[in-house]
Amino acid sequence: MDNPKPLSGFAATTLQKVRNNLAFRSKWLEVNGAMGDLGTYIPIVLALTLAKDLNLGTTLIFTAIYNILTGALYGLPMPVQPMKSIAAVAISNGSSFGIPEVMAAGICTSGALFLLGVTGLMETVYRLIPLPVVRGVQLSQGLSFAMTAVKYIRKEQDFSKSKSGGERHWVGLDGLLLALVCAVFIVVVNGAGEESRGGGSDDDGGLGGDEERPGARRRRRLRRIISSLPSAFIVFLLGVVLAIVRRPHVLKEMKIGPSPIKVVKISKHAWKEGFIKGAIPQLPLSLLNSVIAVCKLSSDLFPEKNCSVTSVSVTVGLMNLVGCWFGAMPCCHGAGGLAGQYKFGGRSGGCVALLGAAKLVLGLVLGSSLAKLLNQFPVGVLGVLLLFAGIELAMASRDMASKEESFVMLLCAAVSLVGSSAAIGFVCGIIVHLLLRLRNMTKDQSCSTTFGNQA
């Protein structure tokens, strides 16, 4: 019997790279990190499922595939998030902007990003945009996530209408006290996100050697045990249990089996509405937060990884140029999701691949009936996860080296938040950056002229 032929050099190298990219750095931390993006993913997908009859089963299956492929490709916890601007337009426009318009908007946005990637123009755009402007976009997005999270925690939510209700009760299965307890638990376990989580040296916090007292050793051992707990995973499991407790009959209402996958028919009118109302507002946000800010943040968190704007732009394009035709929610990468997964321990592509595997199982086993369970999930708990993801993203802007850079960053962030548009803040940040550069050039020229006359 013939021996199997060995893999070619290219195939063997590729296979080894995929294995390295999917290898867990720490099993429980990677599982914990996989939960870091759910505070954004669940509310948006659930809102579109309830308000627009989005095929949740199809969305789970396709986003699962996206998660697994991007984890294998990049080797870092690259998130897959719904396109937020398109989702907001769909929810706020009633029946005039349905699923065909949503898919048309996703295809148009992704087509533009794909073209920018394959032509190399995205790399040029990335090099030209000043760092303070990118940090301003990250800061505004992080603070926006945090403010939304606080709203989830404090007020009742109607995701189907994208509206907040009255004040949340203190006590209950989705009460304010529950959210506060979850937040305190995450702070105690994770702290501010120290790099040494669960991996401190043996002499941290002690006197060292034989002089260390038994009480100090016990306290240090207790700190290590606490810091190794998968806080986000525990909080998410608690939310699932409470969702079942809130409505026990929900398990009987769920159906076994995947939802049917159908090709979405997009009319000329749907193409027009999708492009004008959905793609035009979404494109600047995807360009800035899903490509440029993601690449900058990944280079900060994972300097050893090669995550180019060209490849990220192309992967965002390919995801939706395939999935949107079958009714999967338009998706992109996002700096907030990357920050959230990193905050809770995600360090490899295995983190998002694990999340993708879980989505795939749920999509194939439960399909769209999973929405019945998610509708009972405590919103305050989702708010807590989103809050820490937003703070982690905002903290990436702390590296400004001068007052001038901080000024540009803060102005860009302020305009983005007040105007509810990252594009407006981006334009203002670029203009102010150029004005300051021009001012400095004029100042330098006047100084050189003065010194020349004195000579």
Side-chain angles (χ1 to χ4, degrees), residues 54-55 58-59 61-63 65-66 99 102-104 106-107 110 261-264 266 315-331:
L54 175 75
N55 191 326
T58 300
T59 296
I61 291 172
F62 274 95
T63 55
I65 296 171
Y66 303 158
I99 292 299
V102 169
M103 300 308 151
I107 293 170
S110 299
I261 299 177
K262 301 177 181 178
V263 176
V264 177
I266 306 176
T315 55
V316 172
L318 289 176
M319 285 191 307
N320 299 293
L321 289 175
V322 176
C324 285
W325 289 105
F326 299 96
M329 174 65 200
C331 291

Side-chain angles (χ1 to χ4, degrees), residues 198-222:
S201 60
D202 289 340
D203 56 1
D204 286 349
L207 297 174
D210 296 332
E211 298 179 4
E212 187 179 30
R213 297 178 179 179
R217 285 199 298 269
R218 285 195 296 269
R219 289 194 297 271
R220 188 162 41 102
R221 190 179 304 113
L222 179 61

Side-chain angles (χ1 to χ4, degrees), residues 177-328:
L177 186 60
L178 170 67
L180 293 178
V181 169
C182 291
V184 170
F185 174 69
I186 290 176
V187 171
V188 170
V189 173
N190 292 77
E194 295 88 353
E195 279 299 309
S196 58
R197 260 193 89 221
S201 60
D202 289 340
D203 56 1
D204 286 349
L207 297 174
D210 296 332
E211 298 179 4
E212 187 179 30
R213 297 178 179 179
R217 285 199 298 269
R218 285 195 296 269
R219 289 194 297 271
R220 188 162 41 102
R221 190 179 304 113
L222 179 61
R223 284 199 300 269
R224 281 204 301 267
I225 293 173
I226 292 175
S227 64
S228 65
L229 293 174
S231 57
F233 183 64
I234 293 173
V235 168
F236 180 74
L237 281 184
L238 174 64
V240 173
V241 172
L242 292 177
I244 297 173
V245 173
R246 291 178 73 188
R247 191 180 175 189
H249 295 295
V250 72
L251 296 178
K252 295 181 180 179
E253 296 173 359
M254 298 169 68
K255 299 178 180 179
I256 302 297
S259 304
I261 299 177
K262 301 177 181 178
V263 176
V264 177
K265 296 180 180 179
I266 306 176
S267 65
K268 290 182 180 180
H269 180 265
W271 282 112
K272 178 183 175 182
E273 291 291 300
F275 177 75
I276 295 174
K277 294 182 179 180
I280 291 178
Q282 178 65 50
L283 186 57
L285 182 62
S286 293
L287 182 70
L288 296 172
N289 188 55
S290 303
V291 180
I292 294 174
V294 162
C295 291
K296 182 56 188 172
L297 184 61
S298 67
S299 66
D300 295 336
L301 301 178
F302 305 95
E304 74 283 1
K305 297 291 184 180
N306 181 21
C307 182
S308 69
V309 289
T310 297
S311 63
V312 171
S313 185
V314 169
T315 55
V316 172
L318 289 176
M319 285 191 307
N320 299 293
L321 289 175
V322 176
C324 285
W325 289 105
F326 299 96

